Amino acid sequence: AQADASKGLSLNIEDDNIMAEPGYLEALAKELGTRHPGMTFTAENGIDYRFLDIPVLEQLISLGFRQFNFSAGTISPEEGRTLRADLLAALTRRCAELVIPSVTYAIVGHPGETQEMFDEMCEFASTFGFDRINVFAYSDEETTSAHEMSQKIPAKIINKRADILGKIALEAMEKSLKCEIGKDVEVIIDSESDEHEYLLSAKKLLWAPEIDGEIYINDRTADEELMFGKLYRAKITDIVGNTLT
């Protein structure tokens, strides 16, 4: 948990297994919110969206959840956790409607992942219209149940699949950024940019911290000084590399 005098208490949920018992996470958030009014929550380490539906998502948001990271990995059918594209799409859209940042992670090469399962993930990533997809190649960790599973995928195939999906993710991001040019958006200015002292670093309200990148602020229409942490209306005029300006 992190405490900030200006923002109150915030708790990040690190283990998606907390969703396995129906109602537990909602009860936990409600109890903590009662004890610490104004407390907020995030799920930055990935949450198993298969345990969610729209009513549960909306309830968690009403209880103080302010960010969701969804894992879209094609996981072994032996565990009953194959991709549910329709559900993930619905949850992602609802988060966007409620201005709650959500990040989609794709883990490729999990033991038991077939070529058909991987192709399904690629098709979904190509057609849904994600702003961002973060791609990770599976690797064994001794403390996880997957470490003991059979049907391990050769490293050469894992790396090839990660490269293929990574290119799809990059194309999705570039397409999303190009669609932003000419739009007026609400942004929060965070700090000076690391790129140049005359550029300010900002992000859209819907963007997840340290995940979705930044927007360079390089001009202003009023004489007043721009303030860090303040909400502004900005017009997107260009792209520099993979960064909007």
Side-chain angles (χ1 to χ4, degrees):
Q2 294 182 335
D4 186 311
S6 62
K7 299 179 181 179
L9 193 65
S10 178
L11 177 68
N12 180 48
I13 306 299
E14 289 284 347
D15 188 352
D16 64 8
N17 289 326
I18 199 170
M19 293 295 298
E21 182 177 341
Y24 177 79
L25 186 55
E26 300 96 297
L28 176 64
K30 186 174 183 180
E31 176 65 24
L32 290 174
T34 300
R35 297 187 183 188
H36 307 282
M39 186 173 184
T40 59
F41 307 88
T42 57
E44 296 178 8
N45 198 45
I47 192 167
D48 192 341
Y49 69 91
R50 297 162 187 85
F51 292 114
L52 292 172
D53 57 25
I54 297 300
V56 171
L57 177 76
E58 292 175 344
Q59 183 180 13
L60 290 174
I61 292 172
S62 72
L63 291 170
F65 270 78
R66 295 295 176 262
Q67 180 183 336
F68 293 93
N69 289 11
F70 299 127
S71 172
T74 50
I75 301 176
S76 170
E78 296 174 3
E79 297 183 343
R81 296 174 66 187
T82 53
L83 176 67
R84 291 186 57 193
D86 55 342
L87 176 59
L88 179 56
L91 294 170
T92 302
R93 290 193 184 100
R94 188 58 180 143
C95 282
E97 291 170 356
L98 297 174
V99 198
I100 296 294
S102 69
V103 180
T104 301
Y105 288 90
I107 304 172
V108 298
H110 193 281
E113 179 185 86
T114 66
Q115 183 64 45
E116 182 180 6
M117 294 166 67
F118 175 68
D119 291 343
E120 181 188 8
M121 181 65 227
C122 289
E123 175 67 17
F124 180 50
S126 299
T127 59
F128 174 68
F130 287 105
D131 292 332
R132 299 285 193 282
I133 308 172
N134 294 305
V135 179
F136 295 92
Y138 170 84
S139 60
D140 266 334
E141 295 184 15
E142 293 184 2
T143 58
T144 64
S145 59
H147 183 265
E148 306 299 327
M149 293 178 65
S150 59
Q151 298 180 299
K152 296 292 178 66
I153 309 298
K156 184 177 181 180
I157 294 179
I158 292 177
N159 293 334
K160 182 179 179 180
R161 289 179 179 178
D163 183 59
I164 291 172
L165 190 55
K167 289 179 180 178
I168 293 174
L170 180 60
E171 290 174 0
M173 181 183 70
E174 290 175 345
K175 182 178 180 180
S176 172
L177 292 177
K178 288 179 180 178
C179 289
E180 294 295 315
I181 296 178
K183 290 183 178 180
D184 290 326
V185 298
E186 289 187 326
V187 301
I188 293 178
I189 299 178
D190 290 326
S191 62
E192 292 182 355
S193 170
D194 293 333
E195 183 70 20
H196 195 285
E197 62 179 314
Y198 294 119
L199 295 175
L200 298 180
S201 175
K203 66 175 183 293
K204 292 172 64 176
L205 285 179
L206 197 59
W207 285 6
E210 301 180 7
I211 297 291
D212 284 325
E214 60 184 335
I215 297 173
Y216 292 152
I217 304 298
N218 56 6
D219 199 3
R220 59 186 180 186
T221 57
D223 292 333
E224 65 181 71
E225 291 293 325
L226 299 178
M227 306 288 291
F228 296 155
K230 188 175 178 180
L231 184 67
Y232 290 95
R233 194 80 178 169
K235 189 177 188 64
I236 304 298
T237 58
D238 202 357
I239 301 176
V240 177
N242 289 325
T243 305
L244 296 172
T245 66

